[in-house]
Amino acid sequence: MREDTIRLPGVAVAPDRRDGQAQPGDLTPELIATDWWSDDAVVRAGIPVVDVPFVSVGGGIGSFVTVDYLRICGVPTSAIRVLTQLQSPWESYEYLTRVSQIPRGERLRSDSASCPDNIWGYPSYAVREAWADRSVKPLWQVLVEPIFADYYTPKAGQAFESMAREHDRISYADTVVSGQVRMVRRRIGGGYFTILTPAEGTSPTRRVAYRSRYVHVAVGYPGLKFLPDLMDYRETHRDYGSVVNAYEPHEQIYQRLHAAPGTVLVRGGGIVASRVLQRLVDDRDARGLRTQILHVFRTFVRKSHGPHVWMRRRGGDGWAYQGFNYPKSVWGGQLKARVRKLEGQDRADLYQQFGGTNTPIRRNWQEQLRRGRRERWYHAFQGEIAGLTPGPGGTVHAALHTEQGPQNVQVTAVIDCTGLEADIREHRVLADLLDHGGGGRNPLGRLDVERTFEVRGTRSEPGRVYASGSATNGGYFPGVDTFLGLQIAAQEIADDLSQQGFCARLGPLRSTQQWWLWARGRRI
Ligand SMILES: Cc1cc2nc3c(=O)[nH]c(=O)nc-3n(C[C@H](O)[C@H](O)[C@H](O)COP(=O)(O)OP(=O)(O)OC[C@H]3O[C@@H](n4cnc5c(N)ncnc54)[C@H](O)[C@@H]3O)c2cc1C
């Protein structure tokens, strides 16, 4: 199936506006074609070289939690440079959550102890919320979840505000250099060159080379994945407002439904679809709207499912239900231990078993959709969108293939809540790692990393390249693309670096002492 990729605004790699213009200190054809670079070749190209032991590429939450670990393990800010286009580590995450209907006041998906500002996970978000609000409700919820209450999850705003405090406490800003990374290449003699295109007006040369022993790559999602039906409609009819991906700003659709009654076609069975449906129903309830909702699932789940009684997932009404995007034991239980030992197809098979699209079962979502089915304004069905064409009065005509046969519907808008992630090759830095850096793919087709999160095949002794985040999904540790997963990866990286003498080991004494500093908000 053909899939098109759209770059995330302000998130992924923007096109370089100075491409093709001769400028001092640029990449030469010799450098571009060579896998291993000498200091001499870089100097000959006129590219200034900055020496720093550790470079993190990306500057999102993956970079932030890794730098947090290193700072707690005693690494000074002068030994770290984060090369990024972001103003803050949570900028692109906040953009994605906001447009997919999780503004600061709404709750995220991860649990109380997944705290990217706090490597110890204690006090958890629930404890902190209870303290701030002088309320025992969050504590009661974590005590009785998930049997007598939904899982407790923190508000997005709480996560951002607490990250901002940790950001200041560890002097993260001192490590940040603004710009776009073009590539990471191995250096003859050890270590790496990371080529940065500095933000405009900040450097007399087109590129700057960061020469480091260690590189950490955490570039997030390569881009938005648009399915062909959406892309064809948008490109053919130049209509980017009525047929949208949920990760694009699409407030205009809710505004149109406020102005006049309409029908919306929602596609997808994950948490983003749940949030979009909640927004549609909340607006319906709050404003007395008469919005009709058509909801198309590619796979319509009718009941609980799984290979055997120990691996069953609840399901019904189209949805597969699960509190978090993986079973909890992938972060610290038996699944974590099992996957760590698996190679090749065996690992891919196990990922297949516990993966798949799912959404949390939340009481308010259940109530809203039950009401919608009863009152006949919410219709869920199995099917595929076969084609989209413009309808009269700014509507969209959707041809559907459903279980009951072909159907044609006329809708105000289509909101696609499927896939976010494009292939890793869509990202220039990752593609370069595959083509010139010695990197390879894991059994799921993502970047192959060791148990220490070192990118396999990229070693340039005594240097190491590490990677974390969604690009490494399919490795020995699942759940990498989550707050806790990014922290577990950061811990593995810090442990590996401490064995090489780069940072202190985080043993019980240091950990207790550092937690105490954290609890008192003391800068380190
Ligand atoms: C809608 C949504 C909700 C989520 N909710 C949760 C949740 O509730 N709990 C949870 O645990 N996880 C959640 N996640 C998953 C995950 O925790 C976040 O996506 C997190 O932001 C991933 O961090 P990251 O560093 O890998 O990517 P990002 O935070 O996106 O950071 C990577 C950054 O690298 C930068 N970059 C890319 N290329 C370059 C380059 N060439 N040069 C310089 N910089 C570059 C980009 O600006 C990019 O933003 C959610 C994800 C999404 C999309």
Side-chain angles (χ1 to χ4, degrees):
M1 184 185 271
R2 181 174 69 85
E3 284 160 352
D4 295 86
T5 304
I6 298 286
R7 301 257 174 242
L8 299 171
V11 174
V13 186
D16 192 332
R17 275 183 279 140
R18 289 167 290 171
D19 264 344
Q21 296 170 19
Q23 276 195 353
D26 203 353
L27 292 164
T28 58
E30 177 203 350
L31 286 174
I32 291 171
T34 319
D35 293 356
W36 292 80
W37 291 358
S38 65
D39 291 346
D40 232 29
V42 178
V43 170
R44 265 203 315 276
I47 301 176
V49 176
V50 177
D51 282 304
V52 62
F54 185 93
V55 162
S56 182
V57 179
I61 295 175
S63 293
F64 177 68
V65 298
T66 306
V67 171
D68 198 25
Y69 255 97
L70 294 181
R71 297 281 294 118
I72 287 167
C73 292
V75 180
T77 53
S78 58
I80 303 171
R81 284 295 170 268
V82 177
L83 311 181
T84 181
Q85 306 172 88
L86 302 174
Q87 300 295 316
S88 72
W90 53 92
E91 182 185 342
S92 80
Y93 178 68
E94 183 164 11
Y95 164 80
L96 287 168
T97 47
R98 191 179 58 245
V99 294
S100 63
Q101 304 306 309
I102 314 177
R104 283 188 168 228
E106 291 290 339
R107 294 196 181 267
L108 299 174
R109 185 169 193 181
S110 47
D111 71 358
S112 178
S114 293
C115 314
D117 67 304
N118 173 358
I119 65 166
W120 301 271
Y122 180 80
S124 67
Y125 284 129
V127 173
R128 289 187 257 170
E129 186 177 334
W131 181 257
D133 295 354
R134 302 282 183 270
S135 157
V136 291
K137 208 173 145 222
L139 299 177
W140 177 248
Q141 193 174 345
V142 282
L143 191 71
V144 302
E145 70 179 22
I147 310 287
F148 300 110
D150 292 338
Y151 275 116
Y152 169 89
T153 65
K155 287 188 179 156
Q158 188 186 5
F160 301 138
E161 283 154 25
S162 54
M163 268 191 274
R165 273 195 299 277
E166 183 67 352
H167 172 280
D168 294 346
R169 193 182 78 85
I170 62 169
S171 306
Y172 183 84
D174 294 352
T175 67
V176 171
V177 180
S178 192
Q180 183 180 306
V181 169
R182 171 71 176 79
M183 59 188 40
V184 178
R185 292 283 172 98
R186 288 165 291 182
R187 172 178 172 267
I188 297 169
Y192 305 88
F193 287 108
T194 301
I195 293 293
L196 180 81
T197 312
E200 243 172 312
T202 60
S203 165
T205 54
R206 170 108 190 257
R207 320 277 185 183
V208 176
Y210 283 79
R211 183 167 51 194
S212 65
R213 180 181 280 205
Y214 306 110
V215 178
H216 168 236
V217 179
V219 289
Y221 305 108
L224 289 183
K225 194 173 70 183
F226 276 61
L227 293 182
D229 44 29
L230 255 77
M231 211 58 200
D232 287 346
Y233 174 87
R234 286 156 64 106
E235 281 178 354
T236 312
H237 306 291
R238 301 260 142 232
D239 174 4
Y240 297 91
S242 321
V243 174
V244 296
N245 182 301
Y247 286 115
E248 295 179 283
H250 60 276
E251 193 58 31
Q252 75 280 0
I253 292 177
Y254 305 108
Q255 302 298 334
R256 276 173 68 189
L257 295 167
H258 296 174
T263 302
V264 181
L265 177 60
V266 176
R267 170 163 64 184
I271 188 167
V272 175
S274 293
R275 285 287 325 167
V276 165
L277 291 171
Q278 183 193 343
R279 169 72 195 269
L280 291 167
V281 182
D282 283 349
D283 281 7
R284 210 178 184 281
D285 292 346
R287 296 166 177 267
L289 305 182
R290 281 177 287 136
T291 310
Q292 288 282 323
I293 304 167
L294 304 177
H295 184 189
V296 56
F297 289 89
R298 188 160 45 191
T299 310
F300 194 92
V301 179
R302 288 171 208 286
K303 55 181 184 354
S304 300
H305 53 286
H308 50 75
V309 72
W310 301 111
M311 281 189 96
R312 283 188 88 64
R313 185 186 276 155
R314 286 174 74 181
D317 300 314
W319 304 93
Y321 296 120
Q322 190 164 278
F324 308 105
N325 48 356
Y326 287 124
K328 260 198 147 180
S329 64
V330 306
W331 286 278
Q334 47 172 308
L335 273 175
K336 183 179 182 211
R338 255 179 91 186
V339 181
R340 209 172 162 82
K341 290 191 216 122
L342 293 179
E343 299 290 345
Q345 195 55 44
D346 292 340
R347 201 188 319 153
D349 290 345
L350 189 57
Y351 266 86
Q352 169 85 20
Q353 271 181 38
F354 60 64
T357 308
N358 58 68
T359 195
I361 186 160
R362 290 193 184 158
R363 284 165 170 79
N364 65 330
W365 293 347
Q366 294 286 311
E367 182 281 320
Q368 287 185 327
L369 299 189
R370 229 179 357 253
R371 188 153 45 87
R373 279 189 291 271
R374 199 175 56 240
E375 296 172 5
R376 300 186 153 274
W377 43 258
Y378 169 71
H379 313 271
F381 52 92
Q382 173 156 23
E384 300 267 3
I385 298 178
L388 297 168
T389 45
T395 58
V396 179
H397 181 92
L400 304 168
H401 281 158
T402 72
E403 275 179 314
Q404 285 76 38
Q407 304 226 357
N408 293 304
V409 293
Q410 200 165 300
V411 297
T412 312
V414 178
I415 306 178
D416 187 37
C417 307
T418 62
L420 173 73
E421 297 175 58
D423 183 74
I424 55 168
R425 189 164 274 289
E426 300 286 338
H427 196 287
R428 223 180 188 187
V429 175
L430 300 177
D432 198 81
L433 261 186
L434 295 177
D435 295 339
H436 297 282
R441 290 182 185 261
N442 68 27
L444 261 60
R446 308 282 178 90
L447 200 58
D448 195 18
V449 293
E450 307 273 1
R451 292 172 183 83
T452 55
F453 286 85
E454 180 182 353
V455 182
R456 193 173 271 157
T458 58
R459 190 169 291 186
S460 169
E461 288 289 2
R464 308 269 192 279
V465 177
Y466 301 95
S468 54
S470 90
T472 63
N473 189 32
Y476 295 103
F477 167 66
V480 273
D481 185 30
T482 62
F483 296 161
L484 188 55
L486 290 166
Q487 282 179 315
I488 290 170
Q491 189 171 28
E492 298 280 2
I493 294 168
D495 282 353
D496 200 47
L497 288 171
S498 83
Q499 278 179 20
Q500 294 160 61
F502 177 63
C503 60
R505 201 177 79 81
L506 194 60
L509 266 182
R510 172 172 282 270
S511 184
T512 311
Q513 178 223 12
Q514 287 291 325
W515 179 84
W516 186 238
L517 294 176
W518 179 90
R520 290 192 301 156
R522 290 284 291 275
R523 286 181 88 105
I524 53 172

